[in-house]
Amino acid sequence: MYQFEYHKASSVDDALKKLSSADDGKILAGGMTLLPTMKQRLAAPSDLIDLAGVYDLKGIKVDGASVTIGAMTTHYDVHSSAEVQKAIPALSKLAGLIGDPMVRHRGTIGGSLANSDPSADYPAAVMALGATIKTNAREIAADDYFKGLFETALEDGELIVSVSFPIPKRAAYQKFPQPASRYAMVGVMVAETADGIRVAVTGAGPCAFRVPDMEKALTAKFAPESVADIKISAEGLNEDIHASADYRAHLVTVMAKRAVAEA
Amino acid sequence: MAKVSMTVNGKAVSANVEPRTLLVEYIREHLRLTGTHVGCDTTQCGACTVHVNGQAMKSCTMLAVQAEGAEVTTIEGLAKGDELHPMQASFKENHGLQCGFCTPGMVMAGIDIRRRHPNADEQTVRHELEGNLCRCTGYHNIVKAIMNAQV
Ligand SMILES: Cc1cc2nc3c(=O)[nH]c(=O)nc-3n(C[C@H](O)[C@H](O)[C@H](O)COP(=O)(O)OP(=O)(O)OC[C@H]3O[C@@H](n4cnc5c(N)ncnc54)[C@H](O)[C@@H]3O)c2cc1C
Ligand code: FES
Ligand code: FES
């Protein structure tokens, strides 16, 4: 790891100030992605600005219509929250499938969404539930947030403050974990929301995406057989030593079927 | 350099470290507590697992400065004199180790699993052990040790 300066932010404003006065500063949340990247010298920020002491970025609020999760809330806290379990059980389950217990104790929802790994789990929930990402500057709708491989709508120096998930009528998440890393080879969340049925896929493409054909079929009839014959095109899907694009396309249908059955 | 202070195994410690010093480096090289191992250095194997404020974490993927003010427990902090911690005793009883390299991390992870799941069944323990790799035992006796520990 190359040398850097370490700063503790006391508030969101303080973090933004420290970020803008640094040469090439980066926010540090749980460090579960950033620190391994720095160890490999794939990232070499001049300054790290740690959000761990910004306490108002941590915590979960539930009202009648939505679950709002602070950016610095850990995967473990989302998974084990009785309120999340009651309001959106699929979201609690998803958080409990991320990595392993030690990763879940440190990794945060804000870090995961800022990073937007193609195989990350949270993007499926953000897309399927139609969540809103709140930053220091604005609110970004899920459908406008994911732009490509590790690419989001976030501007340079923009900070995620919280994520708001509308409570669905029902939802379920099914993940086919990559056997070594446990990231999603393919993950599908299916949700019946106030705005209709939404089906979102992670792991298969450069970033999370919806499957309109499946949404239509499930609107006509919400049953596993409605999606059983809907194949998505393998074109542009991820391909690596773990799975071909064709196999990932196939898994999308299988995981969607299972998610509908569970919802 | 950055000044860092924390409590390790009940003892207050502090030092001036480079900000890039990993918590595991601080524990092993500054404090000379070499029971905590580095297996992979890439957040995969869990050999470096310690407790920070009561939760299991991988100390190879944490900066020492991130543990500022924290209570850290390492494998050395478990036994009371000659009396093994019940999780350590259970690993001995159930033959939960062979070469022993993964064992400090397994024991720390095991305590954390039983804290969160006091009556963990086999399936739960296996799922919860996803972040700890063992190259020797085939896991069977590790799972038994964690399930049967009198914690
Ligand atoms: C062994 C292992 C297994 C894993 N398995 C999975 C898995 O199965 N599924 C999965 O989804 N993930 C997995 N992860 C990734 C994990 O979920 C990370 O916690 C997450 O991707 C990053 O979150 P973090 O809080 O650690 O962020 P960090 O690593 O601290 O930061 C990541 C990036 O986001 C930026 N950032 C952080 N917070 C903010 C913010 N509030 N606003 C703007 N930018 C911000 C940082 O500057 C950095 O660029 C795994 C990680 C490991 C090490
Ligand atoms: S050494 Fe930390 S996880 Fe392997
Ligand atoms: S006992 Fe040898 S690695 Fe686990």
Side-chain angles (χ1 to χ4, degrees):
Chain A
M1 204 185 293
Y2 289 112
Q3 272 300 11
F4 56 85
E5 295 285 327
Y6 173 83
H7 315 268
K8 260 202 156 119
S10 57
S11 65
V12 170
D13 284 345
D14 185 42
L16 291 167
K17 209 165 69 199
K18 290 188 158 118
L19 200 54
S20 68
S21 60
D23 237 5
D24 177 21
K26 258 199 175 305
I27 292 291
L28 176 64
M32 290 296 103
T33 295
L34 184 54
L35 294 177
T37 316
M38 288 170 63
K39 281 182 170 185
Q40 291 175 290
R41 298 191 166 180
L42 296 172
S46 63
D47 296 74
L48 285 188
I49 295 108
D50 190 349
L51 294 183
V54 186
Y55 298 108
D56 40 343
L57 289 180
K58 231 182 155 159
I60 298 167
K61 279 192 213 82
V62 181
D63 62 28
S66 63
V67 173
T68 300
I69 302 177
M72 285 298 288
T73 311
T74 62
H75 309 327
Y76 175 71
D77 286 345
V78 174
H79 171 60
S80 61
S81 154
E83 285 182 294
V84 178
Q85 276 161 15
K86 195 158 153 257
I88 317 181
L91 185 61
S92 155
K93 177 185 156 185
L94 175 149
L97 294 173
I98 298 175
D100 58 57
M102 287 77 87
V103 168
R104 294 195 285 275
H105 283 151
R106 289 205 67 73
T108 67
I109 190 167
S112 176
L113 292 174
N115 191 50
S116 185
D117 190 292
S119 316
D121 292 290
Y122 271 129
V126 167
M127 280 295 245
L129 300 171
T132 302
I133 292 169
K134 294 194 178 117
T135 75
N136 57 295
R138 58 188 168 136
E139 300 196 345
I140 310 172
D143 289 325
D144 303 326
Y145 181 77
F146 299 101
K147 296 291 187 197
L149 192 65
F150 294 105
E151 206 189 316
T152 69
L154 290 178
E155 306 273 351
D156 258 0
E158 191 171 2
L159 224 142
I160 299 179
V161 171
S162 66
V163 190
S164 218
F165 295 91
I167 298 174
K169 293 194 189 103
R170 54 177 158 170
Y173 180 63
Q174 283 285 334
K175 169 178 183 175
F176 191 99
Q178 198 259 75
S181 78
R182 303 282 159 196
Y183 273 91
M185 196 126 92
V186 168
V188 177
M189 188 178 273
V190 172
E192 185 178 352
T193 72
D195 301 329
I197 307 279
R198 293 170 69 104
V199 177
V201 177
T202 191
C207 63
F209 60 90
R210 289 169 63 187
V211 189
D213 287 349
M214 289 186 177
E215 294 178 352
K216 247 179 269 153
L218 291 169
T219 307
K221 185 178 179 215
F222 195 90
E225 61 267 23
S226 302
V227 293
D229 295 324
I230 301 178
K231 301 257 176 278
I232 71 158
S233 159
E235 207 179 299
L237 294 192
N238 305 333
E239 194 147 46
D240 54 28
I241 55 165
H242 306 293
S244 64
D246 279 336
Y247 184 48
R248 280 193 164 86
H250 170 73
L251 280 180
V252 170
T253 304
V254 176
M255 292 299 114
K257 227 165 45 181
R258 289 185 191 168
V260 174
E262 190 191 321
Chain B
M1 299 294 262
K3 180 159 195 280
V4 46
S5 312
M6 64 187 87
T7 306
V8 178
N9 300 331
K11 216 173 100 200
V13 294
S14 69
N16 278 311
V17 298
E18 287 184 348
R20 64 178 167 179
T21 307
L22 300 171
L23 180 59
V24 73
E25 290 169 346
Y26 180 64
I27 290 170
R28 286 179 56 85
E29 288 160 31
H30 292 245
L31 303 178
R32 297 281 167 195
L33 294 171
T34 52
T36 303
H37 292 167
V38 178
C40 66
D41 202 19
T42 54
T43 336
Q44 317 275 329
C45 76
C48 64
T49 302
V50 300
H51 296 174
V52 180
N53 294 329
Q55 289 186 320
M57 296 185 180
K58 290 177 169 173
S59 61
C60 75
T61 312
M62 236 184 118
L63 303 170
V65 288
Q66 287 179 291
E68 170 67 31
E71 300 259 353
V72 177
T73 307
T74 71
I75 190 76
E76 289 91 344
L78 295 182
K80 293 200 180 81
D82 286 343
E83 190 194 330
L84 293 179
H85 182 282
M87 188 59 73
Q88 292 172 305
S90 187
F91 269 71
K92 186 176 172 201
E93 186 72 18
N94 289 285
H95 197 63
L97 62 148
Q98 288 178 29
C99 81
F101 193 85
C102 70
T103 313
M106 289 289 180
V107 169
M108 298 314 280
I111 293 171
D112 187 67
I113 291 170
R114 289 290 302 277
R115 174 180 64 80
R116 287 177 290 110
H117 305 279
N119 304 309
D121 59 11
E122 181 180 337
Q123 202 195 349
T124 306
V125 173
R126 286 185 184 274
H127 172 67
E128 290 282 331
L129 271 183
E130 271 175 0
N132 294 82
L133 300 182
C134 174
R135 302 280 76 183
C136 302
T137 63
Y139 301 98
H140 195 67
N141 289 347
I142 293 177
V143 173
K144 256 189 3 200
I146 293 174
M147 280 171 64
N148 295 321
Q150 303 293 312
V151 286

